[in-house]
Amino acid sequence: MPSFLDKVGFSLETEHSSELSNAELMLQNHDLQPVEPKRRTWRAYNFVGFWIADGFNITTWTITSSMLVAGLNWWQAWLAVWIGYIFTGFMVALGGRSGAVHHIGFPVVARSSFGIFGALWPILNRAAMACIWYGVQSYIGGNCITQLLRAIWPSYNDIPNSLPESAGVTTRDFLSFFLFWLISLPAIWFPVHQIRHLFTVKMFLAPIGGIAFFVWSIVKAGGLGPILSQPATISGEEWAWTFIAAIMSCIANFATLIVNDPDFSRFATKPSDAFLPQIITIPFTFGVVSFVGIVVSSSCTVIYNETIWSPIDLLGKLLDDNPSPAARFGVFFISLCFVLAQIGVNIAANSVSAGSDMTALLPRYISIRRGGFLCAIIALCMCPWTLLSSSNNFTTYLSAYSVFLSSISGVLFCDYYLVRRGRLHVAQLYSLDTKGDYWYTYGVNWRAYAAYIAGIVINIVGFAGAVGANVSLAASRMYNLAYFLGFIVSFSVYYTTSRVFPVSGLELAGWHEKDEFVFPEDAAAAHAPGDAVHTVHADKIPDDYDDLSKA
């Protein structure tokens, strides 16, 4: 007879097949399984709407504004934005290809490159960073809450501060942070294939606030002429490296989304739905939103004789000028749009990422939903405001964030596109068979780790300089290229080691991308007659998912 503790443990378990052994429960649950056809509900327009909605957020504006603070003029900043996000669009689409074709998320894709157990470290790495970033975005969202409540009740700005100066935050700002954190929780509840509706709503509502802000800044500054006529404040070599850093900050902004796009692309109705829509929509949307941010930030120099790098600080400055009721309503509406924008981007880039990773770390007890709530709790316990005290701190954090994820991306891209040439044996990604394709050496692919470490080491000295250590100018310059260096080095090392020490069975020529593990309703459409497929029969799966280990 089961003990009380056994009953409690069983009640905490996630949804999974009752036929799985304890060992098999280390690798799979419902959320980790390949997405079955009825949940592949994301069509091309859903990915377009997703990126339109995601593009309108405070971080996008702030990155561009930081470029102006650093000394670029408006067109130089905008050119950097387009270069950075065009590159990013291709990287996201390529990164999501494995998920769209094989219907698996990042944690499972990582097993193909790093090994069944080796994948745990990059998964943990990304989960930790997603939690930190969730906190950062939540604190930014809290600033939106502050301006929203000030627009309704001006006295909210005068809440007495009972926290010590060492806390780094006031009582008012912490309260706003907590309120944003609280209202974000319901969005974590919904499964990934359903949250597309949130982004549809955000796609229509959030840009209205941005347009309103854009129009206000032009009118207040006396037209676009005074705004766009401001010159760059730097030149020569300093300008060149600042321009490069601006491009890299755009790419760093997408460091997690390049890695975790399979978490969304696996829900694509067909692979093409997750390819061109992302390549086109990402640079277009982020380019337009960044232009709005450039105009709004540049208008501050004309109106207030200073560049305000955060749009939320600008809203606060408007409220400091004893605005009319109509102006206060405008601030309220724009702040509300920003709140919705921050909730959306936090779900897309952080809670889903962290939830997917945590369920891979402990699939027996953690689902994507539970992982998302754990991410929110961790974010509440950290101090994100310390990362946002200035534009310099903000861009330094972004660069540091990209150092680790660029090395992971380099390994994944090389493995999928050059080493495996698109071929994945999906069933074996859930197997503890020591003769399986992804067992490598005791479940760890040392080639991937050699490449991953090499991609980080190349940027270590520059990172030390970014946080205050005394390093050479060359190291600092190299750190401006942190994402590229990390990606290229890890990609190259992985390819070299895989060629010198090849994995058995991977002597492939040509392209082998094919969905070899399909559900019965997929088989006829996805494969030509005579193709060998691994088909899961309906009578062997409980409700919505299959027991891959028995296939």
Side-chain angles (χ1 to χ4, degrees), residues 90-303:
F90 278 97
M91 291 292 284
V92 169
L94 291 172
R97 179 71 182 177
S98 56
V101 172
H102 302 286
H103 322 297
I104 53 178
F106 161 75
V108 180
V109 172
R111 293 174 184 172
S112 67
S113 303
F114 287 87
I116 296 295
F117 295 137
L120 294 177
W121 170 249
I123 290 171
L124 177 62
N125 188 311
R126 195 193 65 157
M129 292 185 179
C131 291
I132 294 172
W133 196 235
Y134 188 99
V136 170
Q137 294 286 16
S138 294
Y139 186 72
I140 294 173
N143 291 338
C144 300
I145 292 288
T146 296
Q147 309 310 336
L148 184 150
L149 294 179
R150 285 185 62 193
I152 303 173
W153 301 291
S155 59
Y156 184 80
N157 194 49
D158 301 321
I159 293 177
N161 180 34
S162 58
L163 296 175
E165 185 176 349
S166 59
V169 66
T170 64
T171 300
R172 182 204 66 184
D173 290 345
F174 182 80
L175 176 60
S176 298
F177 166 64
F178 181 78
L179 289 173
F180 179 87
W181 178 88
L182 196 63
I183 64 176
S184 299
L185 294 182
I188 300 175
W189 178 265
F190 296 98
V192 179
H193 67 283
Q194 292 182 0
I195 61 172
R196 69 188 191 280
H197 302 305
L198 168 65
F199 296 107
T200 300
V201 173
K202 181 187 170 187
M203 176 182 68
F204 290 104
L205 182 60
I208 297 175
I211 293 171
F213 214 167
F214 180 73
V215 172
W216 170 86
S217 64
I218 293 175
V219 172
K220 194 76 172 177
L224 276 174
I227 296 174
L228 303 183
S229 62
Q230 299 172 69
T233 58
I234 55 176
S235 60
E237 184 180 356
E238 183 183 3
W239 178 91
W241 283 106
T242 300
F243 184 76
I244 291 172
I247 294 173
M248 298 309 300
S249 66
C250 295
I251 298 172
N253 185 33
F254 265 79
T256 185
L257 290 163
I258 291 171
V259 170
N260 87 303
D261 196 59
D263 293 338
F264 294 94
S265 64
R266 69 185 182 129
F267 293 96
T269 304
K270 55 183 184 295
S272 60
D273 289 336
F275 197 71
L276 276 180
Q278 298 196 100
I279 289 177
I280 296 171
T281 308
I282 288 174
F284 176 80
T285 300
F286 282 78
V288 170
V289 172
S290 295
F291 181 72
V292 174
I294 288 170
V295 170
V296 172
S297 296
S298 297
S299 70
C300 298
T301 307
V302 177
I303 301 168

Side-chain angles (χ1 to χ4, degrees), residues 63 67 80-81 83-85 87-88 240-255 258 395 398-403 406 459 477-488:
I63 289 173
M67 300 177 191
V81 164
I83 294 174
Y85 288 123
F87 173 82
T88 296
W241 283 106
T242 300
F243 184 76
I244 291 172
I247 294 173
M248 298 309 300
S249 66
C250 295
I251 298 172
N253 185 33
F254 265 79
I258 291 171
T395 52
L398 275 178
S399 297
Y401 183 63
S402 70
V403 165
S406 64
N459 287 309
R477 298 303 195 204
M478 288 177 63
Y479 191 66
N480 286 332
L481 300 169
Y483 189 91
F484 280 151
L485 286 176
F487 183 90
I488 292 171

Side-chain angles (χ1 to χ4, degrees), residues 41-51 196-197 199-200 269:
T41 56
W42 284 54
R43 299 185 181 276
Y45 63 83
N46 292 122
F47 284 96
V48 171
F50 174 84
W51 288 114
R196 69 188 191 280
H197 302 305
F199 296 107
T200 300
T269 304

Side-chain angles (χ1 to χ4, degrees), residues 11-30:
S11 67
L12 292 176
E13 291 183 0
T14 59
E15 182 182 0
H16 58 75
S17 171
S18 59
E19 298 179 6
L20 294 176
S21 67
N22 288 333
E24 291 163 343
L25 284 172
M26 295 170 59
L27 299 179
Q28 59 180 295
N29 63 19
H30 175 64

Side-chain angles (χ1 to χ4, degrees), residues 57-60 62-63 128-144 173 177 180-181 253 309 312 342-343 345-346 350 375-376 378-390 393-398 401:
N57 66 79
I58 302 297
T59 305
T60 305
T62 305
I63 289 173
M129 292 185 179
C131 291
I132 294 172
W133 196 235
Y134 188 99
V136 170
Q137 294 286 16
S138 294
Y139 186 72
I140 294 173
N143 291 338
C144 300
D173 290 345
F177 166 64
F180 179 87
W181 178 88
N253 185 33
W309 74 292
I312 301 306
Q342 289 306 109
I343 291 174
V345 75
N346 232 0
N350 303 312
C375 171
I378 293 170
L380 182 64
C381 297
M382 58 174 288
C383 303
W385 45 85
T386 60
L387 298 170
L388 297 166
S389 58
S390 72
N393 282 1
F394 180 71
T395 52
T396 297
Y397 170 70
L398 275 178
Y401 183 63

